[in-house]
Amino acid sequence: MLNQRIKIKALLQQASIGTHVTVMGWVRTFRNNQFIALNDGSTNYNLQVVVALGMLPEATLKRITTGASLKVQGTIAESLGKGQSIELLATAIDILGDSDPEKYPLQPKKHSLEFLREIAHLRFRTNTFGAVFRIRHSLAFAVHQFFNERGFLYLHTPIITASDAEGAGEMFRVTTLPFDGTPRNEDGTVNFKEDFFGKSTNLTVSGQLEGELGAMAFSEIYTFGPTFRAENSNTTRHLAEFWMIEPEMAFYDLEDNMNLAEAFIQYLIRYVMAHNSDDLQLLDRRLAEEEKQKPANERSELGLLDKLNFVVNNQFERITYTEAIQILLESPAYKKKKFKYEVSWGIDMQSEHERYLVEKHFKKPVIVTGYPAAIKAFYMRMNDVCEPGKETVAAMDILAPGIGEIVGGSQREERLDVLQKRMEAMHIPVEEMSWYIDTRRFGTVPHAGFGLGFERMVQFVTGMTNIRDVIPFARTPKNCSF
Ligand code: 4AD
Ligand code: MG
């Protein structure tokens, strides 16, 4: 049996001096033919393994190189060296796998994030990415814990669907039809009856619509799964494949929805602060270094840990879309023509506008409600009309410093007639969506929900500026490696 080892995290936390243990991991560095820094991914700390002089033949010593994998048996001793309190005095070392130092791309030095992105299959072995992905794991775990504690049911919504939940047409097609000799109807259009599902299908952009069906029986559900968007956005905040958490709650109005979303985000941050403090400290130092490279006026005022502390200890700002536009119009940035995109009631706010609101004006997360109906999805609840031409919906977006939109949600239109009219007006195929409309026919209730972009949340907590660095293998336009 191989698995009688102790993980390095457990060893550093609890092993007592004099005990004999087995550890396994990968070599980070090997100094003076004597000191091995060994890492097994359980923590960002390395275990110092001490090789007694003369213990190993020269040929074996040569094979202890950065990236090589080892099985080490030895005795735990107090460390005399700086930087660690205990170390492992090796009694036996087996090399499990060699790593040619001429070819191994990860050297014990600082590599750029861009370079590491090209070797994403190896970047887990660096301090930065070790920390990022341990935190990503913790966040995923905390998502389930948060909802489980509150009696929400985890509903698995389908990945392949025949509908466009957001009505934005940014879908990846799923088909088994051949490119050559595609079956056609008489009018020349593709005959999807011949396709695998007998209709046109795509990868889901959101689990919300099916989530609503669940909420109409279980009261409170959430989904947490991959979603896909074929939007050609090459930004630091967009992925073609990303993970989304979508709770959907019966008997909730917009305010209940905002309260839940705010509590959820704060809970996730608190969880990571309590369970990943070593990793957070490492990323806090990394970000401070990165900030130092920027011109003074572009640096953020708070470090990573300060920012997270601030967010869990302060309420989010809540404003209406109309107020947001007013603030932008009165801003020095607008007056000095600093915005690239226009500002007026009715615009879909651009990231420069969102960032102004959260980073310059409020300096904290902001929940914006009451967006113009014309720029939001068909399922959002219509507000009472206050001014013709200025119809709004009970939408809410949460904007976070450094990220922009992190949550999108709304109270849903539960009134059958209003929903049907809006779907028709927005050219949503009412017939095909009759399963969705049925929820409004049979026991409709006020309900609400939201979607949290998981990678944007990981970005927020880790301080990583590029979304490609918080998902193991990013899918973006013209890029699908690994
Ligand atoms: O605002 P969105 O499009 O809302 C929905 O999909 C709703 N169905 C959610 C709901 O009410 N159940 O997306 C929700 C969130 C965004 O706020 C953002 O955080 C994230 O998903 N998101 C993306 N993250 C990474 N890459 C992309 N291309 C994203 N598009 C949206
Ligand atoms: Mg949105």
Side-chain angles (χ1 to χ4, degrees), residues 166 206 208 229 231 237-239 242 244 246 379 405-409 412 449-451 453 456 467:
E166 291 304 300
S206 154
Q208 178 197 320
R229 303 224 176 150
E231 52 188 331
R237 304 177 311 126
H238 287 89
L239 291 166
F242 64 99
M244 183 152 60
E246 295 183 275
Y379 50 71
E405 181 190 332
I406 193 163
V407 161
R412 315 307 189 193
F450 62 85
R456 292 195 186 169
I467 199 164

Coordinates of all heavy atoms in Angstrom, one line a residue, residues 166 206 208 229 231 237-239 242 244 246 379 405-409 412 449-451 453 456 467, ligand 1:
E166 N -31.4 33.6 -21.4 CA -31.1 35.0 -21.3 C -31.7 35.7 -22.5 O -31.7 37.0 -22.6 CB -29.7 35.3 -21.1 CG -29.1 34.8 -19.8 CD -29.9 35.4 -18.6 OE1 -29.9 36.6 -18.5 OE2 -30.5 34.6 -17.9
S206 N -27.6 29.4 -18.8 CA -28.0 29.7 -17.4 C -29.0 28.6 -17.0 O -29.8 28.1 -17.8 CB -28.7 31.0 -17.3 OG -29.7 31.1 -16.2
Q208 N -31.3 29.0 -14.8 CA -32.4 29.7 -14.1 C -33.8 29.2 -14.4 O -34.6 29.0 -13.5 CB -32.3 31.2 -14.4 CG -33.5 32.0 -13.7 CD -33.7 33.3 -14.3 OE1 -32.7 34.0 -14.6 NE2 -34.9 33.8 -14.4
R229 N -21.2 30.7 -22.8 CA -21.6 31.9 -23.6 C -20.7 32.1 -24.8 O -19.4 32.2 -24.6 CB -21.6 33.1 -22.7 CG -22.6 32.9 -21.5 CD -23.5 34.0 -21.2 NE -24.3 33.6 -20.1 CZ -24.8 34.3 -19.2 NH1 -24.6 35.6 -19.2 NH2 -25.6 33.9 -18.3
E231 N -20.1 34.6 -26.4 CA -19.9 36.1 -26.6 C -18.5 36.3 -26.9 O -17.6 35.8 -26.3 CB -20.4 36.9 -25.4 CG -19.9 36.5 -24.1 CD -20.5 37.3 -22.9 OE1 -21.0 38.4 -23.1 OE2 -20.5 36.7 -21.9
R237 N -12.7 39.6 -17.7 CA -13.8 39.2 -16.8 C -14.7 38.2 -17.5 O -15.8 37.9 -17.0 CB -14.6 40.4 -16.4 CG -13.7 41.4 -15.6 CD -14.5 42.7 -15.2 NE -15.2 43.1 -16.4 CZ -16.5 43.4 -16.4 NH1 -17.2 43.1 -15.3 NH2 -17.1 43.8 -17.5
H238 N -14.4 37.9 -18.8 CA -15.3 37.0 -19.5 C -14.7 35.7 -19.9 O -13.5 35.6 -20.4 CB -15.7 37.7 -20.8 CG -16.7 38.8 -20.6 ND1 -16.3 40.1 -20.4 CD2 -18.1 38.7 -20.5 CE1 -17.4 40.8 -20.2 NE2 -18.5 40.0 -20.3
L239 N -15.4 34.6 -19.7 CA -15.0 33.3 -20.2 C -16.1 32.7 -21.0 O -17.3 33.1 -20.9 CB -14.8 32.3 -19.0 CG -13.6 32.6 -18.0 CD1 -13.8 31.8 -16.7 CD2 -12.3 32.2 -18.7
F242 N -18.0 29.2 -18.0 CA -17.8 29.6 -16.6 C -18.8 28.9 -15.7 O -19.7 28.3 -16.2 CB -17.9 31.1 -16.4 CG -19.2 31.7 -16.8 CD1 -20.1 32.0 -15.7 CD2 -19.6 31.9 -18.1 CE1 -21.4 32.5 -16.0 CE2 -20.9 32.4 -18.4 CZ -21.7 32.8 -17.4
M244 N -21.6 29.0 -12.6 CA -22.5 30.0 -12.0 C -23.3 29.3 -10.9 O -23.7 28.2 -11.0 CB -23.4 30.5 -13.1 CG -24.3 31.6 -12.6 SD -24.8 32.8 -13.9 CE -25.6 31.9 -15.1
E246 N -26.8 29.7 -9.0 CA -28.1 30.4 -9.2 C -29.2 29.9 -8.2 O -29.8 28.9 -8.4 CB -28.6 30.2 -10.7 CG -27.7 30.8 -11.7 CD -28.3 30.6 -13.1 OE1 -28.0 29.6 -13.7 OE2 -29.0 31.5 -13.6
Y379 N -37.8 37.7 -18.3 CA -38.4 37.1 -17.2 C -38.5 38.0 -15.9 O -39.0 37.7 -14.9 CB -37.7 35.8 -16.8 CG -36.2 35.9 -16.7 CD1 -35.6 36.7 -15.6 CD2 -35.3 35.4 -17.6 CE1 -34.3 36.8 -15.5 CE2 -34.0 35.6 -17.5 CZ -33.4 36.3 -16.5 OH -32.1 36.5 -16.4
E405 N -19.7 43.9 -12.5 CA -20.8 43.0 -12.2 C -20.4 41.6 -11.7 O -19.7 40.9 -12.4 CB -21.7 42.9 -13.4 CG -22.9 42.0 -13.1 CD -23.7 41.7 -14.4 OE1 -23.7 42.4 -15.4 OE2 -24.4 40.6 -14.4
I406 N -20.8 41.3 -10.5 CA -20.5 40.0 -10.0 C -21.7 39.1 -9.8 O -21.7 37.9 -9.9 CB -19.7 40.1 -8.6 CG1 -19.1 38.8 -8.2 CG2 -20.5 40.7 -7.5 CD1 -18.0 39.0 -7.1
V407 N -22.9 39.8 -9.6 CA -24.2 39.2 -9.5 C -25.2 39.8 -10.4 O -25.2 41.1 -10.5 CB -24.7 39.2 -8.1 CG1 -26.2 39.0 -8.0 CG2 -24.0 38.2 -7.2
G408 N -26.0 39.0 -11.1 CA -27.2 39.6 -11.8 C -28.4 38.8 -11.4 O -28.4 37.6 -11.3
G409 N -29.5 39.5 -11.1 CA -30.7 38.8 -10.6 C -31.9 39.7 -10.7 O -31.8 40.8 -11.2
R412 N -39.0 37.8 -10.3 CA -39.4 37.3 -11.6 C -40.9 37.7 -11.9 O -41.6 38.0 -10.9 CB -39.4 35.7 -11.6 CG -38.1 35.1 -11.1 CD -36.9 35.6 -11.7 NE -35.7 34.8 -11.3 CZ -34.4 35.2 -11.5 NH1 -34.2 36.4 -12.1 NH2 -33.4 34.5 -11.1
G449 N -34.6 35.4 -7.8 CA -33.3 34.7 -7.8 C -32.2 35.5 -8.4 O -32.4 36.6 -8.8
F450 N -31.0 34.9 -8.3 CA -29.9 35.6 -8.9 C -28.8 34.6 -9.4 O -28.9 33.4 -9.0 CB -29.3 36.6 -7.9 CG -28.7 36.0 -6.6 CD1 -27.4 35.6 -6.6 CD2 -29.5 36.0 -5.5 CE1 -26.9 35.0 -5.4 CE2 -29.0 35.4 -4.3 CZ -27.7 35.0 -4.3
G451 N -27.9 35.1 -10.1 CA -26.7 34.3 -10.5 C -25.4 35.0 -10.1 O -25.2 36.2 -10.3
G453 N -21.5 34.8 -10.6 CA -20.4 34.3 -11.5 C -19.3 33.8 -10.6 O -18.7 34.5 -9.9
R456 N -15.8 35.2 -11.1 CA -15.6 36.6 -10.7 C -15.5 36.6 -9.2 O -14.8 37.5 -8.6 CB -16.8 37.4 -11.2 CG -16.7 37.5 -12.7 CD -17.6 38.6 -13.3 NE -17.6 38.5 -14.8 CZ -18.4 39.2 -15.6 NH1 -19.3 40.0 -15.0 NH2 -18.3 39.0 -16.9
I467 N -9.4 36.8 -15.2 CA -10.3 35.6 -15.0 C -9.7 34.3 -15.4 O -10.0 33.3 -14.9 CB -11.7 35.9 -15.6 CG1 -12.8 35.0 -14.9 CG2 -11.7 35.8 -17.1 CD1 -14.2 35.4 -15.2
Ligands
4AD1 O1 -26.2 38.6 -15.5 P1 -26.3 37.2 -16.0 O2 -26.2 37.0 -17.5 O3 -27.6 36.5 -15.4 C1 -28.1 35.3 -15.6 O4 -27.6 34.5 -16.3 C2 -29.3 35.0 -14.8 N1 -30.0 33.9 -15.4 C3 -29.0 34.8 -13.4 C4 -30.2 34.5 -12.5 O5 -30.9 35.5 -12.2 N2 -30.4 33.3 -12.1 O6 -25.1 36.3 -15.4 C5 -24.9 36.2 -14.0 C6 -23.5 36.4 -13.6 C7 -22.9 37.7 -13.9 O7 -23.3 38.7 -12.9 C8 -21.4 37.4 -13.9 O8 -20.9 37.4 -12.6 C9 -21.4 36.0 -14.5 O9 -22.7 35.5 -14.3 N3 -21.1 36.0 -15.9 C10 -19.9 35.6 -16.4 N4 -18.7 35.2 -15.8 C11 -17.7 34.9 -16.6 N5 -17.7 35.0 -18.0 C12 -18.9 35.4 -18.6 N6 -18.9 35.4 -19.9 C13 -20.0 35.7 -17.8 N7 -21.2 36.2 -18.1 C14 -21.9 36.3 -16.9

